[in-house]
């Protein structure tokens, strides 16, 4: 279980992401690679991770700080599907944020400062589709990355754009999430 602040795509975007995820699953199935896929009801974009557990008083403090927090609405456009967001997370299958990433980074920095969270984690805006269940060989990785690139090019005409009007404090639950509180953006 974990707590985080983030965004939830609208229903139309979730349907489009699900279609893309089905196409991407074919790539991994073709190589016989097991993946722990995110369920459509679990699609989200994390802005700030808050930790595995949050005490009652910490939750009150966070909600108090977030009620005063101001940030403008913006749009997010999702782009290509990739594997391995960093050396630490080589197993991550994700959709890159093509537009709105700068807004997300600014929001992340402001939230870290406002909520007094650590600043040492690199932030890469993305939407997680799944995680590879094993360490891939260099050849497997190369083949999958190549195939993901080809499939992503085929899917470029699927426009996944949604307006971010509110941010949620979420708790992961059984492959999905539970909304703890809502922060309305301006």
């Amino acid at each position: 279980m974990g707590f985080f602040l983030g965004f939830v795509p609208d229903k139309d975007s979730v349907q489009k992401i699900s279609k893309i995820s089905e196409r991407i699953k074919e790539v991994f199935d073709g190589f016989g690679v097991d993946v722990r896929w995110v369920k459509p009801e679990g699609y989200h974009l994390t802005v700030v991770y808050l930790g595995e557990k949050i005490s009652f008083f910490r939750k009150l403090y966070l909600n108090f700080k977030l009620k005063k927090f101001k940030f403008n609405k913006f749009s997010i456009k999702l782009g290509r599907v990739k594997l391995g967001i960093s050396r630490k997370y080589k197993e991550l299958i994700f959709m890159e944020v093509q537009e709105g990433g700068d807004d997300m980074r600014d929001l992340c920095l402001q939230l870290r400062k406002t909520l007094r969270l650590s600043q040492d984690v690199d932030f890469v805006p993305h939407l997680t589709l799944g995680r590879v269940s094993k360490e891939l060989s260099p050849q497997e990785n190369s083949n999958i990355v190549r195939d993901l690139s080809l499939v992503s090019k085929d899917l470029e005409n699927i426009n996944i754009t949604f307006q971010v009007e509110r941010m949620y404090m979420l708790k992961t639950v059984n492959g999905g999430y539970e909304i703890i509180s809502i922060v309305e953006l301006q």
Side-chain angles (χ1 to χ4, degrees), residues 10-39:
D10 59 35
K11 289 181 183 181
D12 182 50
S13 296
V14 168
Q15 288 176 343
K16 290 177 181 178
I17 296 165
S18 295
K19 287 180 184 177
I20 288 173
S21 186
E22 289 303 317
R23 288 281 309 276
I24 298 303
K25 285 178 185 179
E26 294 172 11
V27 170
F28 288 90
D29 290 346
F31 288 104
V33 174
D34 288 332
V35 175
R36 297 179 315 276
W37 295 102
V38 175
K39 298 174 186 173

Side-chain angles (χ1 to χ4, degrees), residues 3-8 42-50 97 104-105 107-108 111 123-128 131 167-168 170 172:
F3 292 85
F4 56 94
L5 296 171
F7 310 121
V8 177
Y43 293 151
H44 67 276
L45 292 100
T46 299
V47 178
V48 175
Y49 180 72
L50 300 170
V97 174
M104 286 183 68
R105 279 192 255 319
L107 183 58
C108 176
L111 285 167
F123 176 70
V124 179
H126 70 281
L127 183 135
T128 301
R131 288 181 171 76
M167 181 173 51
Y168 300 92
L170 303 163
T172 56

Side-chain angles (χ1 to χ4, degrees), residues 11 13 16 19 30-31 36 38 44 46 55 74-76 78 81 87 90 95 107 124 131 153-154 162 166 174 186:
K11 289 181 183 181
S13 296
K16 290 177 181 178
K19 287 180 184 177
F31 288 104
R36 297 179 315 276
V38 175
H44 67 276
T46 299
S55 70
F74 61 96
S75 291
I76 290 180
L78 297 175
V81 176
R87 287 184 182 165
K90 295 184 286 187
M95 292 185 78
L107 183 58
V124 179
R131 288 181 171 76
K153 284 182 183 177
D154 289 345
F162 58 94
R166 59 191 55 86
N174 299 326
Q186 296 179 335

Side-chain angles (χ1 to χ4, degrees), residues 25-177:
K25 285 178 185 179
E26 294 172 11
V27 170
F28 288 90
D29 290 346
F31 288 104
V33 174
D34 288 332
V35 175
R36 297 179 315 276
W37 295 102
V38 175
K39 298 174 186 173
E41 57 270 15
Y43 293 151
H44 67 276
L45 292 100
T46 299
V47 178
V48 175
Y49 180 72
L50 300 170
E52 285 297 310
K53 295 181 180 179
I54 297 180
S55 70
F56 174 77
F57 295 109
R58 176 86 173 139
K59 208 178 296 181
L60 283 175
Y61 169 78
L62 292 171
N63 282 324
F64 173 75
K65 286 293 208 176
L66 291 171
K67 281 184 182 175
K68 295 180 179 183
F69 190 77
K70 302 289 184 212
F71 197 83
N72 294 329
K73 298 175 185 177
F74 61 96
S75 291
I76 290 180
K77 180 176 182 180
L78 297 175
R80 292 192 268 161
V81 176
K82 296 185 175 184
L83 173 66
I85 203 162
S86 68
R87 287 184 182 165
K88 186 177 177 183
Y89 297 108
K90 295 184 286 187
E91 78 285 356
L92 193 70
I93 305 162
F94 67 97
M95 292 185 78
E96 66 183 356
V97 174
Q98 196 171 22
E99 294 174 17
D102 290 339
D103 292 309
M104 286 183 68
R105 279 192 255 319
D106 290 345
L107 183 58
C108 176
L109 291 173
Q110 287 182 29
L111 285 167
R112 286 178 179 171
K113 184 177 178 182
T114 300
L115 302 176
R116 297 182 181 152
L117 301 170
S118 67
Q119 302 282 334
D120 60 348
V121 178
D122 290 332
F123 176 70
V124 179
H126 70 281
L127 183 135
T128 301
L129 295 174
R131 288 181 171 76
V132 176
S133 296
K134 69 170 193 161
E135 181 84 24
L136 296 174
S137 71
Q139 186 62 49
E140 286 175 315
N141 191 70
S142 174
N143 290 340
I144 289 171
V145 167
R146 185 188 68 240
D147 284 4
L148 284 178
S149 177
L150 293 172
V151 172
S152 283
K153 284 182 183 177
D154 289 345
L155 300 171
E156 280 181 356
N157 61 351
I158 298 176
N159 183 23
I160 303 176
T161 305
F162 58 94
Q163 183 75 17
V164 174
E165 298 177 351
R166 59 191 55 86
M167 181 173 51
Y168 300 92
M169 182 186 299
L170 303 163
K171 175 173 91 171
T172 56
V173 179
N174 299 326
Y177 51 79

